[in-house]
Amino acid sequence: MTEQLGTMEELPQDYRDQMAAAGVAPLWPMMRNVLPHNAPQAVTRLGHWSYPAVRPLLLRAGELTPVEKAERRVLVLSDPGRGAGAMQATAAIYLGLQLLLPGETAPAHRHTPSAARIVVEGQGGYTVVDGERLPMEPGDLVLTPGGEWHDHGHDGDEPVIWLDALDLPIFVQLEGSYAIEGTLQAQRNRPDASQVEYSAVGLVPSRRPGRGARRYPMMRYPWAATEAALRQMAAYGEGIAELDYINPETGEDVLPALGFTAMMLKAGQVEAPPLRSCSSAFHVIAGTGRSEIDGQVIEWGPKDTFTAPVFARIWHEAESEAFLVRIHDRPLQEKLGYYEERAR
Ligand SMILES: [Fe+2]
């Protein structure tokens, strides 16, 4: 294996000019950029968005820009490795904090990328997906998979803020990202599927042959149920309690490209996961602590969000009892056949 490949400068200028004119380029000077040895070279850098710092900026957006002028009033969390304005937090994950004020609605649309939101604060917000009204309580995970109509509304009297997570960067890279606009949907007059069809673990609606479940049967994962399950695991398990959000009919991840994992750390508990080939974003539901990511230490508190690049060396320590949701692109990497975990 040759360590040093030939460079562009070693080639005569007339040859370089002729290649450029012909629309070709030599691979060897650039090959290590796209095929580095042993592990990918991450562009993504650790990002940490302190909620107390971002919240006032988002509320000011509510004063400056009416929702009609914004359609979705969002501050995008830009990956420091790609710079301010980057429409992504890692290579595969887009994150944005969205504000909806009392009485506002965000019009219906559907798009090719899939989205999920984690509710950060406020009562009375709701999302309508395919006619199903999904209440948005703090900590809830609400899905709007690709191709599904969705709009948002707000019946409460305080601002509602949520964190949007999308696989948008992949669709942009594929030149496959677009949205179709629609009118506000009529809402079915019944609670959402998490309260009706999937209210108990291990039970799904009985079906006649040939009548399959919807591809995305459950769009809302109430935080109250997740927290209760984590506490139960933490009471009897060893290590930290971790639960993956899954499609209750198939057992698969909730979205095609993105996965979501809820974590509970007791006060003083330390977590040092293996090096994973996927990138991660951590959203703090509650609690305080610190994390070291590739040698950089951050202190986090409730409602903060931070990211870690692919193959990051991650270490968390909870100061107080903490609940986090890890957003990751493991499902995409598994479908592409290269998800991997390496020992530290
Ligand atoms: Fe959307």
Side-chain angles (χ1 to χ4, degrees):
M1 181 172 65
T2 313
E3 274 310 308
Q4 188 60 52
L5 299 177
T7 66
M8 200 67 151
E9 289 67 36
E10 289 166 2
L11 300 170
Q13 188 61 51
D14 69 309
Y15 179 59
R16 289 157 64 181
D17 293 345
Q18 286 165 16
M19 282 193 294
V24 297
L27 172 62
W28 58 95
M30 302 176 289
M31 194 161 79
R32 296 276 191 260
N33 298 345
V34 291
L35 284 174
H37 288 143
N38 303 322
Q41 194 68 48
V43 175
T44 304
R45 293 283 165 264
L46 160 67
H48 177 210
W49 294 270
S50 150
Y51 192 63
V54 179
R55 186 180 185 272
L57 298 174
L58 188 55
L59 291 176
R60 189 147 181 233
E63 296 164 14
L64 296 172
T65 308
V67 74
E68 297 76 31
K69 287 261 188 182
E71 217 167 277
R72 298 294 192 265
R73 194 192 286 112
V74 176
L75 295 183
V76 176
L77 311 188
S78 293
D79 167 28
R82 293 176 167 84
M87 290 289 284
Q88 60 200 101
T90 76
I93 304 171
Y94 158 103
L95 297 175
L97 280 165
Q98 181 159 172
L99 169 69
L100 200 62
L101 294 171
E104 288 184 337
T105 54
H109 69 182
R110 61 189 174 115
H111 37 70
T112 47
S114 287
R117 45 210 40 90
I118 299 170
V119 183
V120 180
E121 68 166 281
Q123 302 283 339
Y126 62 87
T127 294
V128 184
V129 184
D130 192 24
E132 184 171 80
R133 181 190 168 107
L134 310 165
M136 300 176 84
E137 303 283 333
D140 287 2
L141 182 78
V142 172
L143 308 180
T144 58
E148 299 277 347
W149 286 106
H150 56 281
D151 53 71
H152 308 293
H154 189 350
D155 289 340
D157 49 21
E158 287 172 353
V160 162
I161 296 173
W162 64 75
L163 178 74
D164 287 311
L166 279 83
D167 50 15
L168 176 73
I170 306 160
F171 285 78
V172 170
Q173 187 71 30
L174 294 172
E175 299 182 351
S177 185
Y178 67 96
I180 295 170
E181 310 299 321
T183 51
L184 288 180
Q185 303 164 78
Q187 297 168 25
R188 283 197 289 277
N189 185 25
R190 46 157 265 182
D192 66 276
S194 74
Q195 312 301 309
V196 179
E197 287 97 348
Y198 303 98
S199 60
V201 173
L203 295 174
V204 299
S206 179
R207 288 179 211 290
R208 295 196 196 117
R211 297 187 69 180
R214 289 190 293 166
R215 184 173 179 201
Y216 299 102
M218 191 164 117
M219 301 285 193
R220 171 181 176 236
Y221 294 73
W223 176 252
T226 308
E227 181 177 330
L230 285 169
R231 286 189 182 283
Q232 192 70 4
M233 267 187 85
Y236 294 99
E238 290 171 13
I240 69 156
E242 275 189 298
L243 290 168
D244 289 338
Y245 290 86
I246 58 162
N247 178 321
E249 292 279 355
T250 65
E252 292 173 359
D253 295 289
V254 290
L255 292 177
L258 297 185
F260 300 81
T261 301
M263 306 159 55
M264 174 182 171
L265 287 91
K266 296 175 192 167
Q269 202 167 15
V270 168
E271 161 72 350
L275 277 57
R276 299 179 172 116
S277 59
C278 60
S279 64
S280 301
F282 297 88
H283 180 69
V284 184
I285 302 286
T288 55
R290 70 187 63 79
S291 294
E292 186 181 313
I293 293 169
D294 288 337
Q296 221 178 320
V297 177
I298 56 159
E299 309 265 345
W300 42 259
K303 307 178 190 305
D304 284 7
T305 303
F306 57 97
T307 52
V310 296
F311 286 107
R313 190 171 290 271
I314 299 171
W315 175 90
H316 306 293
E317 183 179 14
E319 187 179 58
S320 61
E321 180 185 81
F323 294 94
L324 292 86
V325 176
R326 183 167 69 91
I327 305 162
H328 54 81
D329 50 326
R330 188 192 68 209
L332 175 68
Q333 295 193 354
E334 284 177 342
K335 288 184 175 75
L336 294 175
Y338 77 97
Y339 178 73
E340 179 191 356
E341 293 187 353
R342 294 184 186 174
R344 297 172 74 91

